[in-house]
């Protein structure tokens, strides 16, 4: 059992390197934001009617009918999760590894985040037997676990949990009376929508699941923080919703009016928005596949990517060669690869793994290019791997992998 303690401090585990710029802003969204720029007032706490109605439509199209009285919106996933955990009370269980922004929210509240190992086939969800063992052990030791935070399409691993495994995990959580918080930030970034089955816990366990979506990974630019949450249509869900809004009010976590206008438009999923998303998914699938092949050829352990723009690589098979280079943990590995590649390569210690591991999160971001022009070229190219700047970035990555493996340069 591993936990992130509320008293933990220091920039190394929790302050990730600067992010890599993504694709250019969709002009239609920029126009919506600019058109609402004359509005001086903020949105209501929890989101205005336009945003909430658009969010309900978004969920309805995914088989999750929702009423605006059980929906909330906030400027980013972090403040929305912070407010939700404040409303939930107690400690939270998270997968290991998990998204870098999960555990810090519990720590800010003076709570524990207990990390539970993920199974071999995917990330994003804990092993159900390890989950049961952890919950019971925590309670024996005086802890107060009340929620399980999981991810249906995972950051950092880029994998999607199989429906049968998700069922087992949810049954285990509900047997222990845990609220399930389903992070569905990457649900719309699946590479092969026809071949990968994504299951939301809210589809079967709607009375016990809060759905959280940070929109900055798919529908809106990450520089425009926006997130939505769907609460159960029950008395408990209503109480959680009200308490979450109280916490958001205390944080003054409200949308700026122009951002809310763009978010509401994106949530309506007009053709231009869905076309951009589909093109981005195709691009990230190609680039993530190339990263996976290159890393695997160098002896790195990495699951095949299924969603998003990230992969989680385990370089432990290269430990002897890395030790010869003075690299013995994920902190040193992060420093080395970030310098060598000229782009952030966050180590496993940022995602809940121990620093003694040799794991890093790889991203397709550095392959997109250094300018908006190059990124648009990558987005529209029939074969992005044939673009000179993409080929050069892949060659640099392959060279770095070969060096770590001790192979001739």
């Amino acid at each position: 059992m591993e936990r992130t303690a509320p008293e933990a401090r220091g920039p190394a585990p929790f302050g990730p390197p600067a992010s890599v710029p993504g694709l250019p802003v969709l002009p239609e969204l920029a126009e919506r934001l600019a058109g609402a720029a004359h509005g001086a007032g903020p949105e209501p706490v929890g989101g205005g009617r336009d945003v909430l109605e658009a969010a309900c439509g978004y969920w309805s199209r995914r088989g999750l009918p929702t009423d605006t009285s059980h929906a909330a919106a906030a400027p980013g996933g972090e403040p929305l999760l912070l407010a939700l955990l404040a409303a939930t009370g107690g400690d939270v269980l998270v997968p290991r590894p998990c998204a870098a922004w999960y555990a810090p929210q519990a720590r800010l509240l003076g709570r524990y985040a207990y990390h539970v190992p993920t199974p071999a086939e995917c990330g994003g969800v804990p092993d159900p037997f390890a989950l049961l063992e952890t919950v019971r052990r925590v309670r024996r030791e005086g802890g107060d676990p009340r929620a399980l935070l999981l991810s249906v399409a995972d950051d950092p691993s880029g994998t999607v949990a199989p429906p049968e495994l998700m069922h087992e995990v949810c049954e285990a959580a509900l047997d222990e009376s845990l609220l399930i918080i389903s992070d569905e930030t990457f649900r719309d970034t699946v590479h092969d929508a026809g071949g990968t089955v994504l299951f939301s816990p809210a589809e079967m366990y709607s009375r016990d699941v809060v759905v959280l979506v940070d929109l900055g990974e798919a529908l809106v630019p990450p520089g425009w923080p926006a997130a939505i949450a769907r609460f159960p249509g029950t008395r408990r869900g209503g109480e959680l919703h009200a308490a979450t809004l109280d916490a958001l009010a205390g944080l003054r976590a409200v949308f700026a009016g122009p951002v809310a206008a763009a978010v509401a438009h994106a949530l309506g999923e007009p053709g231009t928005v869905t076309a951009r998303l589909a093109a981005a998914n195709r691009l990230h699938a190609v680039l993530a596949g190339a990263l996976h092949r290159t890393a695997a050829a160098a002896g790195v352990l990495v699951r095949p990517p299924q969603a998003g723009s990230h992969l989680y690589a385990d370089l432990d098979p290269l430990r002897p060669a890395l030790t010869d280079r003075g690299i013995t943990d994920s902190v040193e590995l992060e420093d080395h690869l970030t310098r060598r590649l000229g782009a952030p390569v966050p180590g496993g210690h940022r995602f809940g793994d121990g620093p003694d591991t040799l794991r890093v999160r790889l991203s397709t971001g550095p392959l997109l290019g250094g300018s908006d022009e190059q990124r648009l070229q990558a987005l529209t190219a029939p074969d992005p791997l044939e673009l000179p700047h993409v080929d050069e970035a892949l060659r640099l990555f392959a060279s770095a992998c070969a060096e770590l493996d001790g192979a001739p340069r």
Side-chain angles (χ1 to χ4, degrees):
M1 178 179 69
E2 296 186 10
R3 67 184 181 184
T4 297
E7 67 273 11
R9 293 291 184 268
F14 306 115
S19 61
V20 178
L23 295 169
V25 176
L26 188 66
E28 183 175 320
L29 294 183
E31 292 169 4
R32 289 280 172 165
L33 185 141
H38 64 278
E43 289 284 286
V45 173
R49 177 157 293 276
D50 287 349
V51 169
L52 296 182
E53 288 182 347
C56 291
Y58 168 90
W59 278 310
S60 293
R61 290 188 293 275
R62 287 154 180 80
L64 299 173
T66 309
D67 185 84
T68 55
S69 63
H70 287 85
E78 290 88 344
L80 188 50
L81 178 59
L82 180 67
L84 177 56
L85 292 179
T88 303
D91 302 319
V92 61
L93 295 110
V94 296
R96 189 183 73 237
C98 67
W101 55 283
Y102 288 177
Q105 312 311 312
R107 192 174 72 254
L108 285 170
L109 294 168
R111 315 258 177 82
Y112 285 106
Y114 292 92
H115 294 268
V116 186
T118 55
E121 59 263 46
C122 67
V125 297
D127 177 271
F129 297 103
L131 174 65
L132 291 172
E133 180 183 353
T134 300
V135 170
R136 293 163 186 173
R137 188 182 306 172
V138 168
R139 286 176 175 156
R140 284 198 304 268
E141 295 176 0
D144 185 23
R146 298 191 193 177
L148 167 65
L149 175 56
L150 52 77
S151 177
V152 298
D154 183 44
D155 170 24
S157 71
T159 60
V160 176
E164 58 273 15
L165 175 61
M166 187 67 76
H167 277 292
E168 293 176 11
V169 171
C170 291
E171 290 288 349
L174 296 180
D175 283 347
E176 296 298 330
S177 301
L178 299 177
L179 174 72
I180 298 170
I181 303 173
S182 178
D183 176 13
E184 302 187 6
T185 294
F186 288 92
R187 70 165 297 151
D188 296 318
T189 69
V190 173
H191 297 164
D192 180 10
T196 301
V197 179
L198 186 146
F199 172 73
S200 169
E203 294 178 39
M204 181 164 287
Y205 307 99
S206 61
R207 298 177 61 87
D208 302 286
V209 177
V210 176
V211 178
L212 176 69
V213 183
D214 189 320
L215 300 171
E217 295 296 342
L219 291 182
V220 300
W224 303 358
I228 53 176
R230 176 189 186 273
F231 294 79
T234 62
R235 178 178 178 180
R236 183 192 184 196
E239 292 171 348
L240 274 175
H241 178 260
T244 300
L245 294 190
D246 284 345
L248 288 172
L251 295 168
R252 298 194 67 182
V254 295
F255 276 125
V259 174
V263 168
H265 182 73
L267 282 169
E269 299 181 290
T272 48
V273 170
T274 56
R276 164 60 75 88
L277 178 58
N281 288 346
R282 288 193 297 269
L283 172 61
H284 288 303
V286 170
L287 299 182
L291 284 175
H292 177 261
R293 290 190 297 273
T294 303
V300 176
L301 299 177
V302 56
R303 297 184 184 104
Q306 297 173 290
S309 56
H310 301 134
L311 303 87
Y312 199 55
D314 186 349
L315 282 73
D316 196 73
L318 310 184
R319 185 175 289 274
L322 289 170
T323 300
D324 290 343
R325 285 179 165 270
I327 301 171
T328 61
D329 58 29
S330 65
V331 178
E332 294 167 345
L333 183 60
E334 172 187 292
D335 290 344
H336 173 82
L337 286 176
T338 297
R339 287 195 305 269
R340 181 68 177 84
L341 299 176
V345 186
H349 56 287
R350 302 188 186 276
F351 306 103
D353 272 326
D356 58 324
T357 62
L358 290 169
R359 296 172 185 157
V360 293
R361 188 185 70 178
L362 306 174
S363 172
T364 61
L367 306 183
L368 297 175
S371 67
D372 281 354
E373 180 181 4
Q374 288 184 333
R375 296 177 194 120
L376 283 175
Q377 286 178 346
L379 186 68
T380 58
D383 185 358
L385 301 182
E386 293 183 352
L387 294 173
H389 70 271
V390 174
D391 180 68
E392 181 180 355
L394 278 171
R395 288 179 182 274
L396 176 62
F397 177 66
S399 175
C401 288
E403 289 173 5
L404 294 178
D405 191 23
R409 299 178 63 175

